Amino acid sequence: MSHKKHVCETRVRVRYAETDQMGVVYHANYLVWFEVGRVEFIRQLGLDYKSMEQDDGCGIAVVQVEARYRAPARYDDELVIETRLVAARGPVVRFGYRILRAKDGALLCEGESGHVVVGKDMKRAKLPQRYAERFAECLI
């Protein structure tokens, strides 16, 4: 697989509870889907958040999120979450996202999230070596 172009695709279906009075997806749900994509991206690399937290004693805290809404998603739409690694330097990691409607490929939302690796004390920590190595491969 070409790591530079590595994009994880995850599919979700819009639930009724995720829509607002206007029948469109409430904007904050896109941030939840960013997280779904991020977790699956890491899983596709053979890694996972759970072991990072339990075995390595650290996590990746969200410190910044940006989202640009292009078109509405509606109840029962199948969505494709495209996730890619944008940067990984020291304790700082950035992911990029695109959310598309599966049936027509329409771009609904795109954005990025910035993270800092932290220990259980919530202070900056070093990214565990195996994560640093796998992330570096995605950026080559």
Side-chain angles (χ1 to χ4, degrees):
M1 123 176 106
S2 171
H3 293 290
K4 176 101 173 140
K5 300 292 184 188
H6 181 69
V7 175
C8 169
E9 288 192 2
T10 308
R11 291 181 180 250
V12 295
R13 187 166 299 275
V14 176
R15 298 173 299 177
Y16 185 78
E18 294 168 320
T19 63
D20 62 18
Q21 277 185 294
M22 295 182 289
V24 300
V25 168
Y26 179 65
H27 70 278
N29 287 305
Y30 289 91
L31 303 184
V32 173
W33 296 331
F34 286 2
E35 179 182 13
V36 169
R38 190 166 61 246
V39 169
E40 289 305 315
F41 178 93
I42 290 172
R43 186 172 283 127
Q44 275 194 10
L45 295 180
L47 306 168
D48 66 86
Y49 271 131
K50 188 175 182 180
S51 69
M52 179 187 284
E53 291 172 353
Q54 292 179 347
D55 302 340
D56 299 303
C58 64
I60 302 176
V62 177
V63 295
Q64 183 268 338
V65 176
E66 176 184 319
R68 291 169 299 285
Y69 302 98
R70 305 293 188 185
R74 299 185 186 280
Y75 169 66
D76 208 41
D77 281 349
E78 183 181 16
L79 308 178
V80 177
I81 307 161
E82 294 180 350
T83 307
R84 71 189 188 295
L85 185 66
V86 175
R89 287 185 297 276
V92 178
V93 181
R94 292 192 62 75
F95 291 93
Y97 313 92
R98 288 175 14 114
I99 298 181
L100 309 142
R101 188 170 33 244
K103 75 177 179 184
D104 61 5
L107 177 62
L108 307 179
C109 181
E110 57 189 334
E112 287 192 5
S113 60
H115 308 262
V116 173
V117 179
V118 295
K120 291 185 187 222
D121 60 1
M122 293 306 288
K123 293 185 179 175
R124 283 184 184 226
K126 188 175 181 181
L127 186 63
Q129 188 62 32
R130 67 183 179 278
Y131 291 82
E133 289 170 1
R134 295 294 285 141
F135 285 2
E137 291 173 8
C138 292
L139 296 169
I140 293 173

